[in-house]
Amino acid sequence: MADGDTITALASGAGLSARGIIRLSGPAVGRVLDRWLIGASRAPGAHRARVRLALEAGGESELPCLLLVFASPRSYTGEDAAEITLPGHPALLERVARQFMSDPEVRAAQPGEFTARAFLNGKMSLDQAEGVQAAIAARSHAELAAAESLLSGEMGRAYRDLADETARLLALVEAGIDFTDQEDVVPISPRDLAHGLRNCLFGLECFLGPAAAEAARTEARAVLVGPPNAGKSTLFNALLGRARAVVSDVPGTTRDAIAEPLDLAHAGAGWKAPSVMLVDLAGLDSALTRSSAIDSAAQSAAMREIERADVVVLCDTAGRFDESGLPLSGKRVIRVRTKADVLRASAEDPPSAIAVCALDGWNLAALRRAIADAASGAGARAADASVVVPRHRRALAEARDALRRALASAGPDGARRLESPELIAGEVRLALDALGEIIGRITPDDVLGRVFSVFCVGK
């Protein structure tokens, strides 16, 4: 993503519809509209206008459309932006999108780039940006409600309140370290610290829900699913970093389900990423169920593994991702367009699909990150708990574990001073760092500011 470019993309869903929207954002929006839209410049000061779109250079063919113009910074991205509403025929929308991308000042937007620009330009926080993706991916009312709480900033405010209380406790503990030689100075007693830590832990448990502990004890199972010769075994070997499955151009080479543990924390997916059981399955093809008893058994075994899986990695070289007949209810699905080195991206590819090349490792880090996110949240939802973004769930669980260790070191409630303030401060700092993964880093200067605000250092 290059800052300062003008980008365009289809902003409405794929398929036939009454209306479709093409979005533009960037410094050249005004010049692009002048080149391709007839009548746009004759509505000065208007943010909405009915204009005509030139479908060919020179304006030989025209199409009526609705134009919405947003001047910086009063737009979704914070830049000059425009949305063009057209009849929702896929062929027409694709033609117009290609036309804009042929303009020398415009390029195709990368996945998530409009929302990334909104975040970078201060139009939304990081948790609100994640709420956009959560709303797109929502598959239930609970997931949509959780996404809306992120978008509104409600969840972010709750996270920040929790981080503020944790930072307050850390400031008081560290202040006590500075005054260990003064008996009359006790910034926080073991009783008060334990009370504050329990309040923070209660908030974390409310976010995580009662199913989080059980989910943390269960290793998630991720299966590679797709038609024969979709590159699953090659991808399986590439993710593991060694040749475990036999790779061949002959369809049906893989018949047994091959399972191997994949430690994502040591495979480039980031610290504290979970370990999952990665499973390579036989290629799914209904014709194979009738070809022989062995092929039929392989197909049945693959379906059973899909039913057991927490995460399903759908692999398809063409990007069609046929899900018919697959038991995907309640599972996290990652769509992967394999063999990206030989097959170019198509306009029909789902926006969320990850294109990879298992031979040279291109984009495997993004896939590992997606598997880590999906595995972290697999099975960790409860009907009465808020649905938490997987990245947030990992950070909240890390903060909870650190605060539990700090609470265990706080000492007896009747004691006047903390017995191990350095150890407690280290654990509370780990919790604060984990929360900082969600709300942004809380620096030592922030903690120092809280020392002066809550404890009178000088009289």
Side-chain angles (χ1 to χ4, degrees):
M1 300 182 185
D3 188 24
D5 291 350
T6 297
I7 56 175
T8 187
L10 178 66
S12 51
L16 287 169
S17 61
R19 298 288 184 270
I21 298 174
I22 293 177
R23 178 178 290 165
L24 291 153
S25 180
V29 164
R31 294 189 295 273
V32 174
L33 296 180
D34 287 342
R35 280 194 285 271
W36 294 105
L37 273 75
I38 302 167
S41 60
R42 289 196 287 273
H47 290 279
R48 180 189 298 253
R50 295 187 180 276
V51 298
R52 298 188 308 279
L53 173 68
L55 292 179
E56 299 173 11
E60 288 83 356
S61 299
E62 299 176 2
L63 178 70
C65 63
L66 179 66
L67 171 67
L68 298 177
V69 179
F70 307 90
S72 171
R74 301 182 63 181
S75 71
Y76 178 77
T77 60
E79 306 172 322
D80 288 342
E83 291 183 355
I84 301 164
T85 303
L86 300 161
H89 192 284
L92 174 63
L93 295 170
E94 182 182 352
R95 176 180 175 182
V96 174
R98 285 201 310 267
Q99 177 173 298
F100 281 126
M101 285 185 280
S102 70
D103 192 291
E105 292 193 273
V106 181
R107 66 168 174 81
Q110 297 297 314
E113 189 166 3
F114 286 98
T115 301
R117 292 189 177 199
F119 166 69
L120 294 172
N121 290 326
K123 300 296 290 185
M124 62 175 63
S125 62
L126 183 58
D127 49 277
Q128 287 176 309
E130 290 177 305
V132 175
Q133 174 57 24
I136 294 171
R139 300 177 65 177
S140 68
H141 291 298
E143 290 182 358
L144 185 59
E148 288 173 350
S149 70
L150 282 172
L151 281 168
S152 68
E154 176 186 351
M155 189 71 77
R157 287 189 292 272
Y159 288 150
R160 280 185 283 276
D161 288 344
L162 183 59
D164 283 343
E165 176 61 13
T166 305
R168 184 186 73 85
L169 295 175
L170 176 61
L172 291 172
V173 173
E174 291 187 340
I177 296 173
D178 293 334
F179 291 93
T180 52
D181 57 339
Q182 300 185 33
E183 290 293 333
D184 60 330
V185 179
V186 181
I188 189 168
S189 67
R191 182 189 298 273
D192 291 339
L193 176 62
H195 178 72
L197 290 174
R198 289 190 186 100
N199 285 339
C200 291
L201 283 168
F202 176 77
L204 288 166
E205 294 293 355
C206 288
F207 285 129
L208 290 167
E214 180 63 28
R217 292 194 295 269
T218 304
E219 188 176 52
R221 200 170 181 87
V223 296
L224 303 180
V225 179
N229 283 354
K232 300 185 299 300
S233 295
T234 304
L235 180 59
F236 181 75
N237 291 338
L239 289 171
L240 293 178
R242 57 191 175 88
R244 174 62 178 85
V246 176
V247 176
S248 173
D249 292 334
V250 178
T253 298
T254 302
R255 288 179 172 174
D256 294 329
I258 304 173
E260 288 286 336
L262 174 62
D263 186 355
L264 291 166
H266 293 89
W271 71 289
K272 292 298 179 183
S275 176
V276 304
M277 186 61 68
L278 187 66
V279 186
D280 185 24
L281 302 182
L284 297 181
D285 187 344
S286 57
L288 292 177
T289 61
R290 301 183 295 271
S291 61
S292 70
I294 295 177
D295 288 330
S296 178
Q299 296 291 297
S300 298
M303 294 301 290
R304 287 194 299 271
E305 285 291 340
I306 296 172
E307 291 174 353
R308 293 179 57 198
D310 302 295
V311 180
V312 175
V313 182
L314 281 180
C315 302
D316 194 333
T317 58
R320 289 187 290 266
F321 304 108
D322 183 10
E323 301 178 12
S324 58
L326 296 180
L328 301 181
S329 178
K331 303 183 189 303
R332 294 175 176 267
V333 179
I334 302 171
R335 295 167 182 83
V336 178
R337 190 172 62 79
T338 51
K339 303 183 182 181
D341 57 328
V342 294
L343 295 173
R344 300 185 62 184
S346 166
E348 298 179 358
D349 285 1
S352 59
I354 303 174
V356 303
C357 176
L359 294 179
D360 61 11
W362 181 75
N363 225 19
L364 287 186
L367 176 56
R368 292 187 180 104
R369 181 74 273 157
I371 294 175
D373 286 344
S376 296
R381 293 177 178 165
D384 59 346
S386 297
V387 180
V388 180
V389 173
R391 187 180 72 87
H392 295 184
R393 181 174 294 281
R394 288 196 309 276
L396 293 170
E398 175 68 13
R400 176 199 59 195
D401 294 343
L403 290 184
R404 284 177 176 173
R405 294 190 296 269
L407 181 61
S409 302
D413 286 350
R416 186 172 182 273
R417 304 180 69 94
L418 299 174
E419 294 179 355
S420 306
E422 295 87 354
L423 178 61
I424 295 170
E427 296 293 355
V428 178
R429 166 52 72 183
L430 288 176
L432 200 56
D433 286 344
L435 293 173
E437 293 286 328
I438 304 175
I439 66 170
R441 291 293 181 188
I442 297 179
T443 67
D445 286 342
D446 296 324
V447 176
L448 184 61
R450 287 173 172 84
V451 171
F452 285 100
S453 66
V454 301
F455 177 67
C456 185
V457 175
K459 296 181 179 179

